[in-house]
Amino acid sequence: RPAWEQAGAILVRDVEPYELMKLRMLNGSHSLIAYVGQLGGYRYVRDTMANDMFAKLVARHMENAAASMTPLPGIDFADYGAELVDRFRNPEIAHETRQIAMDGTEKLPQRIVAPAMETLRAGGDFRPFAFAVAAWMRYCLGRTEGGEAYALRDPREAEIVAALSGMATAGEISAALHALPGLFPRALSEDAAWMSAVSTPLDVMLEKGMAAAIQNEIRD
């Protein structure tokens, strides 16, 4: 075989922990960027990351995603996170936020919910994951901050729309989406601290917009 290790490849017997790293740090951050970027009026990931405030939020998410995992041989999570930030900022990559935002109900369980659950059990800071969930919930309303409607492009879109019918407040929206079958484990939806951590930034997103919610988050 080619000597891939000479070019930096790591050869392991069990790839699952490394797959988790990608799902939680790369894909989880990508989903966060997609929702905050789409609602913040940014077409591409690179444009979202050009906003220092948004980039700080993404860096915080990566740090907490890394903290949810056990150390991996040959991997420095901080270095990997820095490489991801550079990739997300690359002006030559035109990755659209709306494309990444699609299929949220299929992506969130592995990317956001799983590390949130492990962080909750470990007594860690799950607020970054709660913020990502809040951003997804705001996205599920199907309208930009300017009032323009868009399709969710999610396999459970009709179910989401039905669940949100008549819901107006952050608490109502959060409760309705947490009740979707098979999406959020009861350990989260029945945890008062988690529910508050989701509804608090969601309320700011609804009342003042995504930028204000992010500003509050990184200030805290």
Side-chain angles (χ1 to χ4, degrees):
R1 64 169 175 79
W4 292 304
E5 64 275 15
Q6 292 184 12
I10 300 173
L11 304 181
V12 298
R13 292 186 180 277
D14 183 7
V15 74
E16 185 176 1
Y18 297 84
E19 182 184 19
L20 284 178
M21 177 185 71
K22 174 185 177 293
L23 283 169
R24 295 182 181 186
M25 293 187 68
L26 191 161
N27 299 125
S29 297
H30 237 185
S31 287
L32 174 64
I33 293 169
Y35 300 126
V36 301
Q38 176 81 350
L39 292 165
Y42 295 96
R43 181 178 179 182
Y44 298 111
V45 168
R46 67 192 184 194
D47 300 328
T48 307
M49 292 298 291
N51 183 314
D52 287 342
M53 185 173 63
F54 283 41
K56 287 179 181 178
L57 181 75
V58 172
R60 185 192 72 153
H61 185 91
M62 285 188 189
E63 290 175 5
N64 282 66
S68 74
M69 298 179 293
T70 57
L72 293 177
I75 295 292
D76 184 307
F77 289 141
D79 288 346
Y80 180 60
E83 291 174 4
L84 291 179
V85 169
D86 287 342
R87 185 191 308 182
F88 293 161
R89 284 178 166 166
N90 189 335
E92 301 302 319
I93 300 177
H95 207 162
E96 294 189 348
T97 54
R98 69 181 184 90
Q99 178 186 2
I100 305 167
M102 66 187 296
D103 300 329
T105 57
E106 294 187 339
K107 295 174 179 177
L108 255 65
Q110 304 93 336
R111 299 180 178 191
I112 306 295
V113 177
M117 274 295 302
E118 292 186 17
T119 303
L120 177 66
R121 284 195 292 261
D125 183 9
F126 51 69
R127 289 181 304 164
F129 306 115
F131 188 92
V133 168
W136 170 73
M137 290 182 173
R138 171 60 185 85
Y139 173 82
C140 283
L141 296 180
R143 63 175 185 274
T144 66
E145 293 180 355
E148 181 181 353
Y150 54 80
L152 300 185
R153 299 198 299 171
D154 189 288
R156 301 180 69 174
E157 181 167 0
E159 190 179 355
I160 290 170
V161 171
L164 293 178
S165 178
M167 303 299 171
T169 69
E172 291 172 342
I173 293 168
S174 175
L177 293 178
H178 271 97
L180 288 177
L183 187 57
F184 293 97
R186 292 178 61 183
L188 282 180
S189 59
E190 294 180 357
D191 187 278
W194 165 263
M195 295 298 285
S196 176
V198 173
S199 62
T200 297
L202 179 57
D203 183 60
V204 180
M205 294 174 197
L206 295 172
E207 295 297 325
K208 299 180 180 179
M210 182 59 71
I214 293 175
Q215 189 171 32
N216 285 353
E217 201 73 10
I218 62 174
R219 183 172 60 236
D220 293 342

